[in-house]
């Protein structure tokens, strides 16, 4: 019998329990050979846990007054229909909003609470915005060029308040262009910009975050923006770019290892 091939869709089927026992055994064997798909599967598991925890919390909260009014309005406009009790209807509206937000912005490993997520999204949003602004520049992409790498790293390290390195991404096809100092929540943040031979650019952004927050890699995706970010020891690190998710993750892994080794 010819063994069927698997792809990302099968990850969802497996997590939903919709693969047959025979397919499940073959799927698990396939997953063992695909590190990228294992990482994706782990991310989906985490997404579900985070979404479940978030919605559980929301369901326990008091229904906002504006949603109560909206629910009354819906009830008045649907005479003769089968109605959902007021509180359940309003809570469902809150949960749908939350589900949309979670699907659009949250991904990664478990152990990341709601407040921490919002704090992280502030920083990663800054990082992606900064990348989009400066990656589009022609003449003023960086403040200090790569030719003065030692000064650049020392200056940004002193201003941000942690020991930084400008990762060497040449093996991944990207050369350091330089970097700049940026504001972030009243403190200093650092951005290192890289470019490949085709002109594609990626950046590393380092900023302060809430102390005690430590996470594994998380994926952020918004219209026109993609980034992998992580947090540890009071700092958030974001690798942003418009390249494929797989390639960006590889660069984020290399960046993380070099930052760790440089401390």
């Amino acid at each position: 019998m010819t063994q069927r091939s698997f792809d990302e869709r099968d990850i969802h089927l497996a997590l939903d329990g919709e693969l047959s026992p025979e397919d499940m055994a073959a799927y698990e064997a396939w997953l063992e050979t695909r590190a990228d798909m294992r990482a994706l599967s782990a991310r989906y598991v985490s997404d579900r846990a985070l979404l479940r925890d978030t919605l559980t919390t929301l369901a326990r909260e008091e229904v906002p007054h504006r949603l109560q009014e909206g629910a009354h309005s819906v009830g008045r406009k649907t005479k003769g229909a089968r109605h959902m009790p007021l509180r359940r209807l309003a809570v469902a509206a809150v949960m749908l909003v939350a589900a949309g937000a979670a699907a659009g912005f949250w991904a990664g490993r478990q152990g990341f609470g709601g407040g921490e997520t919002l704090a992280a999204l502030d920083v990663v949003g800054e990082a992606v915005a900064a990348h989009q602004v400066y990656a589009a520049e022609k003449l003023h992409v960086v403040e200090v060029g790569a030719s003065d790498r030692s000064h650049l790293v020392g200056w940004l390290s002193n201003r941000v308040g942690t020991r930084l390195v400008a990762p060497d991404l040449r093996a991944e096809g990207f050369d350091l262009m330089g970097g700049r100092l940026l504001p972030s929540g009243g403190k200093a943040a650092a951005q290192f910009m890289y470019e490949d031979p085709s002109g594609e650019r990626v950046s590393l952004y380092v900023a302060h975050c809430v102390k005690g927050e430590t996470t594994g890699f998380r994926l952020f995706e918004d219209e026109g923006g993609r980034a992998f970010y992580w947090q540890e020891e009071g700092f958030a690190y974001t690798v942003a770019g418009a390249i494929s998710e797989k390639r960006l993750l590889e660069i984020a892994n290399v960046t993380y290892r070099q930052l760790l080794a440089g401390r």
Side-chain angles (χ1 to χ4, degrees):
M1 179 183 294
T2 302
Q3 182 175 309
R4 58 165 289 194
S5 59
F6 295 95
D7 55 25
E8 183 177 339
R9 178 175 175 274
D10 293 295
I11 296 177
H12 295 286
L13 293 175
L15 293 177
D16 290 337
E18 294 181 8
L19 288 180
S20 68
E22 295 77 15
D23 281 345
M24 192 65 188
Y27 163 81
E28 290 175 343
W30 168 79
L31 200 62
E32 283 299 311
T33 68
R34 295 289 302 272
D36 57 334
M37 292 294 106
R38 288 199 305 275
L40 198 58
S41 177
R43 203 183 85 209
Y44 290 154
V45 170
S46 179
D47 288 350
R48 290 175 177 218
L50 181 57
L51 184 59
R52 182 183 61 247
D53 293 345
T54 301
L55 296 184
T56 299
T57 300
L58 285 170
R60 296 195 190 108
E61 293 179 357
E62 187 61 32
V63 179
H65 183 65
R66 67 182 186 281
L67 290 178
Q68 293 185 25
E69 292 180 338
H72 280 300
S73 176
V74 169
R76 287 194 297 269
K77 293 178 180 179
T78 55
K79 290 182 179 180
R82 187 176 176 183
H83 302 304
M84 182 184 295
L86 172 62
R87 179 172 177 79
R88 286 179 58 200
L89 180 62
V91 169
V94 176
M95 292 174 75
L96 284 170
V97 172
F105 295 110
W106 296 338
R109 290 168 47 179
Q110 289 182 294
F112 202 54
E116 296 167 323
T117 300
L118 292 176
L121 288 177
D122 284 343
V123 176
V124 74
E126 292 172 354
V128 171
H131 175 80
Q132 291 174 330
V133 168
Y134 294 110
E137 281 288 327
K138 300 297 183 184
L139 299 177
H140 305 287
V141 183
V142 298
E143 192 172 359
V144 177
S147 59
D148 206 355
R149 187 186 194 117
S150 179
H151 165 68
L152 171 67
V153 173
W155 171 55
L156 291 179
S157 295
N158 289 334
R159 292 302 306 274
V160 174
T162 189
R163 185 175 180 180
L164 299 173
V165 298
D168 184 349
L169 302 179
R170 288 175 296 179
E172 282 62 50
F174 285 86
D175 289 316
L176 177 68
M177 301 181 73
R180 64 171 62 244
L181 187 70
L182 293 167
S184 174
K187 297 182 180 180
Q191 182 193 62
F192 295 97
M193 187 71 71
Y194 296 80
E195 186 177 53
D196 72 3
S198 72
E200 195 68 67
R201 291 169 178 173
V202 298
S203 64
L204 166 65
Y205 182 91
V206 183
H208 291 262
C209 67
V210 179
K211 276 192 175 292
E213 293 184 12
T214 299
T215 72
F217 284 174
R218 289 179 166 275
L219 173 66
F220 174 98
E221 288 187 297
D222 197 2
E223 292 183 7
R226 175 181 290 134
F228 278 99
Y229 66 100
W230 66 97
Q231 295 174 254
E232 57 183 331
E233 298 181 4
F235 290 91
Y237 303 84
T238 305
V239 175
I243 59 177
S244 71
E245 180 181 329
K246 179 182 178 184
R247 194 176 182 204
L248 193 64
L249 178 58
E250 291 169 350
I251 291 172
N253 272 305
V254 171
T255 298
Y256 173 78
R257 289 196 296 270
Q258 291 190 28
L259 286 169
L260 189 64
R263 288 184 191 144

